């Protein structure tokens, strides 16, 4: 199991740690909705920035799966303020969390081509280690639509001013290197995190972290704690990059 990093190491290496986690609306492998378990896993990850998928409930007012008061009281994180829906944390379930002391600059939501509602999120953040642009996404079950959505994300990233950039999320791609993976690979490098689905018996690399050439990958992996195996049907993945 991955453990915390240590302040001296982070300062010396000027690294930033990111993570991606499909929290399945806080419904665990026991089919119980327990947001506290998800937050326990977020705290274990000890990341600076976390992209969440399925962060809102699917029906009704689509309220946040992690109640804001709970996130505030028992975690070091705050959501990037997307200001899309009153009760939701994210955009079509996609949310970005950052540490409470992190400065959030430009942020936006992306409308992705789709048959069923899909979207992506973007935030530019400033840490004591440097600045970083992050995209979070949850792509379609259809391979054709995944490729269209990947093209939309790639275009959105290339349309902005140059900045160290990370793309991450649940790509829903079961192949090893075809489809949207090949499309992303023409522009970004993949962190070889490992298999993250299903949490009880990981067989697929559905969750991915990609990065531009301005970032150097230091380490990466799948967070396989006992809490993570219960909190969702996906395990979270993480990557650590050197800035500057």
């Amino acid at each position: 199991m991955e453990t915390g990093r240590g302040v001296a190491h982070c300062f010396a290496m000027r690294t930033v740690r990111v993570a991606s986690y499909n929290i399945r609306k806080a419904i665990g492998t026991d089919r119980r909705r327990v947001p506290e378990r998800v937050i326990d896993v977020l705290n274990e990850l000890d990341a600076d920035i976390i992209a969440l998928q399925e962060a809102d409930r699917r029906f009704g007012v689509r309220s946040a799966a992690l109640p804001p008061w709970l996130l505030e009281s028992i975690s070091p994180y705050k959501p990037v303020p997307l200001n899309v829906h009153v009760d939701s944390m994210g955009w079509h379930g996609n949310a970005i969390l950052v540490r409470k002391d992190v400065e959030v600059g430009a942020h936006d939501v992306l409308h992705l081509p789709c048959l069923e509602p899909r979207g992506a999120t973007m935030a530019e953040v400033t840490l004591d280690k440097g600045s970083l642009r992050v995209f979070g996404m949850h792509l379609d079950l259809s391979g054709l639509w995944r490729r269209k959505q990947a093209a939309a994300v790639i275009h959105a990233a290339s349309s902005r001013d140059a900045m160290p950039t990370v793309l991450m999320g649940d790509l829903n791609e079961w192949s090893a290197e075809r489809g949207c993976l090949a499309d992303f690979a023409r522009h970004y490098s993949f962190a070889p995190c490992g298999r993250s689905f299903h949490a009880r018996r990981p067989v697929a690399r559905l969750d991915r972290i990609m990065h531009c050439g301005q970032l150097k990958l230091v380490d990466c992996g799948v967070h396989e704690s006992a809490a993570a195996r219960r909190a969702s049907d996906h395990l979270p993945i993480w990557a650590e990059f050197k800035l500057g």
Side-chain angles (χ1 to χ4, degrees):
M1 184 184 86
E2 173 63 20
T3 57
R5 291 169 290 168
V7 175
H9 169 75
C10 293
F11 181 79
M13 290 290 293
R14 285 179 55 85
T15 60
V16 58
R17 186 181 178 99
V18 303
S20 181
Y21 191 15
N22 184 330
I23 66 172
R24 197 194 184 192
K25 298 173 282 294
I27 299 174
T29 50
D30 57 2
R31 300 185 181 180
R32 296 171 56 228
R33 189 190 304 276
V34 186
E36 291 86 350
R37 293 191 300 200
V38 173
I39 295 178
D40 286 344
V41 176
L42 299 180
N43 292 340
E44 290 177 352
L45 280 167
D46 192 29
D48 298 298
I49 306 165
I50 305 175
L52 298 181
Q53 302 86 49
E54 299 194 30
D56 300 321
R57 298 196 186 193
R58 185 172 182 181
F59 301 108
V61 296
R62 304 198 177 196
S63 58
L66 306 179
W69 65 267
L70 191 63
L71 193 68
E72 167 68 25
S73 62
I74 64 173
S75 90
Y77 297 107
K78 64 182 180 182
V80 171
L82 300 176
N83 301 321
V84 178
H85 301 296
V86 173
D87 297 306
S88 300
M89 177 186 294
W91 168 244
H92 294 304
N94 295 282
I96 298 175
L97 301 181
V98 297
R99 292 190 181 276
K100 292 173 184 174
D101 60 349
V102 167
E103 178 184 344
V104 179
H107 52 280
D108 203 356
V109 297
L110 282 68
H111 297 264
L112 298 184
C114 59
L115 282 176
E116 58 176 329
R118 294 283 174 175
T121 54
M122 184 282 299
E124 295 176 359
V125 301
T126 301
L127 309 97
D128 57 0
K129 312 169 189 79
S131 296
L132 188 70
R133 179 180 294 129
V134 175
F135 286 84
M137 70 197 82
H138 188 182
L139 302 189
D140 205 278
L141 296 174
S142 159
L144 174 63
W145 286 102
R146 280 197 299 273
R147 297 196 68 177
K148 292 180 178 181
Q149 291 160 3
V153 173
I154 292 166
H155 175 73
S158 65
S159 299
R160 306 190 72 88
D161 294 338
M163 179 184 288
T165 299
V166 171
L167 287 70
M168 51 186 171
D170 180 354
L171 303 192
N172 263 321
E173 180 60 70
W174 287 77
S175 70
E177 55 187 19
R178 299 190 302 274
C180 71
L181 299 185
D183 299 331
F184 280 120
R186 283 192 284 271
H187 305 270
Y188 299 95
S189 299
F190 282 81
C193 297
R195 298 173 180 175
S196 57
F197 182 85
H198 185 279
R200 286 183 173 175
R201 186 181 178 186
V203 296
R205 301 186 181 198
L206 301 187
D207 305 283
R208 299 280 185 156
I209 296 176
M210 301 161 278
H211 62 97
C212 73
Q214 295 185 60
L215 294 166
K216 180 180 179 181
L217 180 65
V218 176
D219 200 4
C220 64
V222 178
H223 186 77
E224 299 185 75
S225 70
R229 287 192 290 271
R230 292 192 302 269
S232 171
D233 59 347
H234 286 246
L235 294 170
I237 60 173
W238 59 272
E240 197 164 327
F241 297 100
K242 184 176 181 181
L243 286 171

